[in-house]
Amino acid sequence: MSFNLKNLKEKFANQKYIKAALVALITIIAIIYILPAAGIYTIIPDDEKRPETGDYTLFEISKDNALCQTFTAETRRLYSMYFYMLNLSDAEISDTACVKIQLLKGSVTSSTGGSVIESHTVLMSDIPNGEWFEEIYNRSLSKGKTYTVRITAADCTPSVIVSTSGSTLDILGDGSKVYGASEEISESLLMDMRYAIPAPSKIRLLASAIILVIAALSIWRILSTGSCSISKPENMLIDFISKYHMIILYVVIAIAAFGARLCMFDDISGDYMECYGPWYDEIKANGDLSGLVGDYTLPYQTFVLLMSKTGINPLYGYKLFSVFFDYLLATGSAILVHMITGKEDHYQKYKAFAAFAIVLLSPLVTLNSASWAQCDAIYTSFIVLCLICLEKKQYFLMFVVYGLAFSFKQQAILLLPFVFLVWFVTRAFSLLYFAIIPLVMEITAIPGLLAGHSLETPFSIYLDQQAEFPHSMTLNYPGFFSLLAEDMSTPNVPFFKTWQILFTASILLILCAFLYLKKVELKGKMMVVCAFITTYTCVLFLPVMHERYGMIYEILAIIIMLLDIKFAPIAITLNWIALCVYCKYLFALPVNLPHLAIVNTICYLAALYYTYRMIEASAKAQK
């Protein structure tokens, strides 16, 4: 029996009620399945509660006892656990007395064992006698997974009363239990958790409604005409897409990338809780830039001041500012690839589009701005624009743009060895051009200078940053010296830091000398490769490198990959390494830094070999 549309048409020609019922059925199914998937339905948290309201349960913790609360994450991401503690002990507290709060995987009912995700220790001496003490921990958790919060006391008698309170609706399962000394307690230990909730969106609702209307009209047309042939409007649409396909691709990727970032706009990182949020509050309270807040530059603090005047949610304001530079970074990468490939390459415009899409959709770039609220895309975008100016031989503009990069983040200094190499090899501009950098820094700091800061403030901020980690050699970055140990904290750090800096300078000197002796032309792909290898050398060997400081060479690796597909294994591996350490900080994923350092070092050696082969090929071509 064959399916005949004409017969179907005759059968349903006068059955308007059947057609209406069919369309209604499709609409109901769409409402049930499509709208929830689009995020229309949201979870609304209960009102926030505090211990002082009296709605809480007290538990007494004694030595060798444990309170274990098991819960299931019902939302995609949970992000703040509030613990309230009360010390009622009249006895003298020892220096070692403490309370340990641990987050574990799965269900744990004892004071020991279990897979610990993170652990925090609160000294008893930090808890005022007879007063509430609040501890806040931020953590991103996976939806549908089971976790346990375990609270134990050490070196103290039953003198601590711990209360954790608040709404647990849609977070705790029915089987949640509390254990004291491995015995079940009848009461329930509650945790005050703040968690990300997908906000209702008129855009999502409108998109879902359009899908439903199109589906209904399509079915109606098939039943009415008995034909599935393409219509005139569809032909016009296909012709339009064919003519303007590149513009449409850019727009689609730009919208998709912004949608991906919107999903993370409610994420609150530890940096925001400890730095960005308090900085915003302080600058807003001051009403000007008279006080130096935090350790970020005056231009960035100027942005925070302007943001405080708008009344926008500061969490969204920080992220929108960084996201803007995500798009500038992607656009600059596309322009640079387009310039280097040249018109003789038939895939020029597609390579440029690939650069735009890959950079903009990169998990690193997305997480950095949208989840972390960090600003590494700002100075990195200026670095890429700096290379564009260098390719065009606009040296004055190159130093102006490089000065803007310096004005926002100290990590722009990672490109400085390459800039000196350009000056030494090309002899195209005077050494005096380097004075443009501090001049631009002073110009961008004018709002802060007018508020009373001295001329040296833009530079003293960077000097103060150097003293923030006096006993650390690495900070969550799998550098060369992470091969020795994951935690490189030692009292001898000042000596090792000096040695690391001299060691890095020696490698850079040898590398630059080799490039000079080979008479390398710093233009096109060779320019990007040299900028990549010098910045990569700095980050791999210098001390106190954070996981975010590799963004320059990670973006340049993507650009090189699009110029030469042979570089793809190195570029992909480098971005994978960075994603691992990002997830280690943001989502507490277990990552072994020494193991990643091995992979990172191998990648560096491979990048050196690639650079050497490219230089040799260029020398043969010149001969």
Side-chain angles (χ1 to χ4, degrees), residues 166-408:
S167 169
T168 56
L169 181 64
D170 293 313
I171 296 181
L172 299 185
D174 295 334
S176 300
K177 299 176 182 178
V178 179
Y179 290 85
S182 299
E183 295 182 1
E184 184 180 344
I185 300 174
S186 58
E187 295 90 345
S188 177
L189 180 65
L190 303 180
M191 290 179 294
D192 182 359
M193 289 190 173
R194 317 288 176 80
Y195 48 98
I197 304 164
S201 171
K202 294 180 180 179
I203 296 177
R204 286 199 294 264
L205 182 60
L206 178 62
S208 301
I210 291 173
I211 292 173
L212 296 180
V213 171
I214 292 174
L217 290 176
S218 300
I219 295 174
W220 187 276
R221 179 174 179 270
I222 292 172
L223 294 176
S224 300
T225 63
S227 172
C228 292
S229 61
I230 192 167
S231 63
K232 186 177 180 180
E234 288 176 302
N235 276 316
M236 293 174 62
L237 178 62
I238 292 174
D239 292 339
F240 178 81
I241 293 174
S242 300
K243 185 176 180 180
Y244 300 104
H245 66 280
M246 288 307 301
I247 297 176
I248 294 172
L249 283 174
Y250 275 100
V251 173
V252 169
I253 291 298
I255 294 174
F258 192 74
R261 284 160 172 77
L262 279 180
C263 296
M264 302 180 184
F265 263 38
D266 286 320
D267 295 358
I268 299 181
S269 67
D271 284 353
Y272 181 85
M273 295 291 291
E274 297 174 8
C275 302
Y276 293 147
W279 292 350
Y280 173 85
D281 294 336
E282 188 173 346
I283 291 176
K284 185 177 182 180
N286 293 338
D288 54 31
L289 297 176
S290 56
L292 192 60
V293 178
D295 61 352
Y296 268 31
T297 60
L298 289 176
Y300 197 81
Q301 293 190 32
T302 302
F303 153 72
V304 177
L305 177 64
L306 295 175
M307 180 175 62
S308 68
K309 304 296 184 182
T310 64
I312 189 176
N313 184 329
L315 177 63
Y316 299 157
Y318 278 116
K319 294 185 176 184
L320 285 172
F321 187 58
S322 297
V323 166
F324 169 79
F325 284 95
D326 287 353
Y327 283 82
L328 181 61
L329 175 61
T331 304
S333 301
I335 293 173
L336 185 58
V337 170
H338 190 273
M339 288 174 55
I340 294 175
T341 51
K343 294 182 179 180
E344 65 278 1
D345 191 329
H346 298 296
Y347 299 100
Q348 180 189 40
K349 61 181 180 180
Y350 298 106
K351 288 182 178 180
F353 168 72
F356 178 83
I358 293 174
V359 171
L360 196 56
L361 295 175
S362 165
L364 300 182
V365 179
T366 303
L367 288 172
N368 190 283
S369 60
S371 180
W372 209 333
Q374 280 290 353
C375 55
D376 296 275
I378 299 178
Y379 74 90
T380 307
S381 61
F382 285 128
I383 293 297
V384 172
L385 294 178
C386 182
L387 295 179
I388 293 174
C389 295
L390 177 58
E391 181 67 10
K392 291 185 175 182
K393 298 183 179 180
Q394 297 177 349
Y395 301 113
F396 178 82
L397 186 58
M398 178 186 78
F399 277 94
V400 171
V401 175
Y402 191 36
L404 289 173
F406 254 112
S407 299
F408 278 95

